[in-house]
Amino acid sequence: MTSPIYTASIPVFKQMLGGLSGVLAKAEAHVAAKKIDPNALLQARLFPDMFALLRQVQVATDFAKSVSARLAGVDVPKLDDNEQTFADLQARITTVLTFIEGLDVALFDEAATREIVTQAGTAKEKRFTGASYIFNYALPHFFFHTTTAYDILRHNGVEVGKKDYIGTY
Amino acid sequence: MTSPIYTASIPVFKQMLGGLSGVLAKAEAHVAAKKIDPNALLQARLFPDMFALLRQVQVATDFAKSVSARLAGVDVPKLDDNEQTFADLQARITTVLTFIEGLDVALFDEAATREIVTQAGTAKEKRFTGASYIFNYALPHFFFHTTTAYDILRHNGVEVGKKDYIGTY
């Protein structure tokens, strides 16, 4: 039987990153059609001390790959965080999707009880079971960044809707 | 054994609605301290055709109570949607928390395979298993509204942080 922790993570990340990719594609088409500097959106933020769109996408994809790796018990892949364009962000999403789709379902068999340690060795170190990690920590953070990326674009008049955010499942 | 569908829903809704309540309390303190009309925040939206803060909170709580009821196989409680103030929203959150905390864990034993029908009898009718309903539909929507409520307040300069959004677990 497929672990519920797999069901709660990999297919959800796939769905929402697919949605995010579609939302970003519409944003890129929007700046092209209106002859706007892409950075007007990529560097847009809802408040000066919040992350800009580009960083929101980096962090959303970070959560997807790190959380998936930790739950599966494999090394967390490193990304260079050097994206600058919409095309770079799409490539990053594709890289993360390829990684998480490659994780065997069986790796998640013990995920619910696996001990997950975040920020190990620092004052902020936290210990979770896999179940608590995905439900109380990872999903709230992941959805925060996919939603805020969408909210930044909506706030800037890009014509995307809830359906785009939700993706396909 | 507690159903993973219970673990994925009731404690998550409790955590995030607790966070939302704290965020709204800081927003109310903010308007009081600055002598701002509370409606400047309650009716704030990120774009003209998005929901205002007050409606975001109504919809987030709607998802929490409706999704919990459907997964548990009990009637969905009706709320009047007549909130106008921060105090009204806090009362609504309390009502929903009381309802979901009162749902017996055992009601969720069959939740993963329970058939859930949304918008029954309309052209938009959708059929889910409980597992697909919570992971692919309910959580993405619920987090959308808790995050967007937070984003509206951040955008308006209320001093809340990610910790407030995440709540306690």
Side-chain angles (χ1 to χ4, degrees), chain B residues 5-157:
Chain B
I5 304 300
Y6 182 89
T7 307
S9 57
I10 305 301
V12 176
F13 292 145
K14 280 177 61 175
Q15 171 186 335
M16 301 308 298
L17 291 182
L20 184 58
S21 170
V23 164
L24 292 170
K26 287 196 175 182
E28 190 177 10
H30 176 90
V31 295
K34 307 260 180 194
K35 305 194 196 307
I36 298 169
D37 177 355
N39 285 318
L41 293 184
L42 291 165
Q43 297 305 330
R45 49 187 100 220
L46 292 173
F47 201 67
D49 67 352
M50 289 184 83
F51 287 151
L53 174 66
L54 187 138
R55 186 83 193 114
Q56 298 286 355
V57 176
Q58 288 177 326
V59 178
T61 44
D62 269 347
F63 272 103
K65 59 105 171 141
S66 305
V67 170
S68 302
R70 289 189 185 120
L71 290 172
V74 304
D75 288 343
V76 176
K78 234 195 114 22
L79 298 175
D80 284 337
D81 293 340
N82 56 1
E83 290 81 12
Q84 296 191 23
T85 65
F86 280 108
D88 292 344
L89 291 179
Q90 295 289 1
R92 183 182 177 103
I93 291 172
T94 302
T95 299
V96 170
L97 284 173
T98 303
F99 169 70
I100 67 173
E101 286 167 3
L103 294 169
D104 197 283
V105 180
L107 292 171
F108 293 75
D109 285 352
E110 308 298 324
T113 52
R114 181 165 287 143
E115 185 180 61
I116 311 269
V117 185
T118 58
Q119 305 189 278
T122 75
K124 288 183 168 182
E125 181 177 294
K126 274 202 161 194
R127 287 170 186 276
F128 297 89
T129 61
S132 174
Y133 180 62
I134 185 69
F135 295 126
N136 304 118
Y137 177 84
L139 290 182
H141 279 285
F142 173 72
F143 281 113
F144 180 91
H145 295 286
T146 57
T147 299
T148 302
Y150 173 93
D151 282 346
I152 290 170
L153 292 170
R154 286 285 268 121
H155 180 63
N156 281 278

Side-chain angles (χ1 to χ4, degrees), chain A residues 6 12 16 28 50 55 60 62 71 95 120 128 137 139 144 150 152:
Chain A
Y6 183 88
V12 175
M16 300 308 298
E28 190 176 10
M50 290 184 82
R55 187 81 193 115
D62 270 347
L71 290 171
T95 300
F128 296 89
Y137 177 86
L139 290 182
F144 179 91
Y150 172 93
I152 290 170

Side-chain angles (χ1 to χ4, degrees), chain A residues 9-31:
Chain A
S9 57
I10 306 301
V12 175
F13 292 145
K14 280 177 62 176
Q15 172 186 334
M16 300 308 298
L17 291 182
L20 184 58
S21 170
V23 164
L24 292 170
K26 287 196 175 181
E28 190 176 10
H30 175 91
V31 295

Side-chain angles (χ1 to χ4, degrees), chain A residues 31-81:
Chain A
V31 295
K34 308 261 180 191
K35 304 193 196 307
I36 298 170
D37 177 355
N39 285 318
L41 293 183
L42 290 165
Q43 298 304 330
R45 49 188 98 220
L46 292 173
F47 201 67
D49 67 352
M50 290 184 82
F51 287 152
L53 174 67
L54 189 138
R55 187 81 193 115
Q56 297 287 356
V57 176
Q58 286 178 327
V59 178
T61 43
D62 270 347
F63 272 102
K65 59 105 170 138
S66 305
V67 169
S68 303
R70 289 189 185 121
L71 290 171
V74 304
D75 287 343
V76 176
K78 232 194 116 22
L79 299 175
D80 285 336
D81 293 340

